[in-house]
């Protein structure tokens, strides 16, 4: 069992290793004029990360981790994506996605 001061050091250390990688690029890049192609490229990073996080859960199943396009989550994701593209509403997309997933699991 760790004493209280060890927990504080652990939390402070975790905060430091989380803060420094975020602060370092901001500190050096905020004072420079970046080329437009680099700014456009940086705008794609959140979409790429979100896609990398969501794709395996939607399309990859089983112990052998094979690709399955007709997975129930994938079937629900398509109309939810269309709703999100049409309305651009985050709250509405969450509600529609949850409702569709509930309906899909109820009937299939």
């Amino acid at each position: 069992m760790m004493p209280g001061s060890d927990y504080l050091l652990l939390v402070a250390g975790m905060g430091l290793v989380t803060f420094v990688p975020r602060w370092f690029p901001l500190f050096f890049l905020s004072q420079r004029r970046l080329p437009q192609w680099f700014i456009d490229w940086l705008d794609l990073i959140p979409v790429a990360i979100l896609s990398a996080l969501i794709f395996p859960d939607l399309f990859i199943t089983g112990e052998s981790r094979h690709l399955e396009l007709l997975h129930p989550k994938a079937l629900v994701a398509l109309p939810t994506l269309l709703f999100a593209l049409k309305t651009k509403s985050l709250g509405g997309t969450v509600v529609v996605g949850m409702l569709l997933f509930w309906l899909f699991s109820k009937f299939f």
Side-chain angles (χ1 to χ4, degrees), residues 5-16:
S5 62
D6 287 346
Y7 279 117
L8 287 175
L9 285 173
L10 180 66
V11 170
M14 290 188 304
L16 186 66

Side-chain angles (χ1 to χ4, degrees), residues 78-89 91-94 96-97:
L78 184 60
T80 305
L81 175 66
L82 294 175
F83 178 84
L85 291 173
K86 175 102 175 151
T87 65
K88 310 237 187 277
S89 167
T93 301
V94 169
V96 166

Side-chain angles (χ1 to χ4, degrees), residues 14-86:
M14 290 188 304
L16 186 66
V17 298
T18 303
F19 177 76
V20 168
R22 287 168 173 78
W23 171 82
F24 193 74
L26 283 175
F27 179 76
F28 287 105
L29 295 178
S30 65
Q31 299 167 1
R32 294 182 179 200
R33 183 148 182 91
L34 300 174
Q36 187 60 40
W37 66 267
F38 189 66
I39 294 171
D40 293 342
W41 180 76
L42 287 174
D43 284 342
L44 298 175
I45 290 176
V47 175
I49 292 173
L50 185 62
S51 298
L53 291 172
I54 290 175
F55 184 83
D57 192 44
L58 290 180
F59 298 110
I60 297 176
T61 60
E63 286 283 325
S64 60
R65 306 205 35 92
H66 64 278
L67 184 66
E68 184 177 328
L69 296 177
L70 297 178
H71 191 265
K73 289 179 185 177
L75 295 175
V76 170
L78 184 60
T80 305
L81 175 66
L82 294 175
F83 178 84
L85 291 173
K86 175 102 175 151

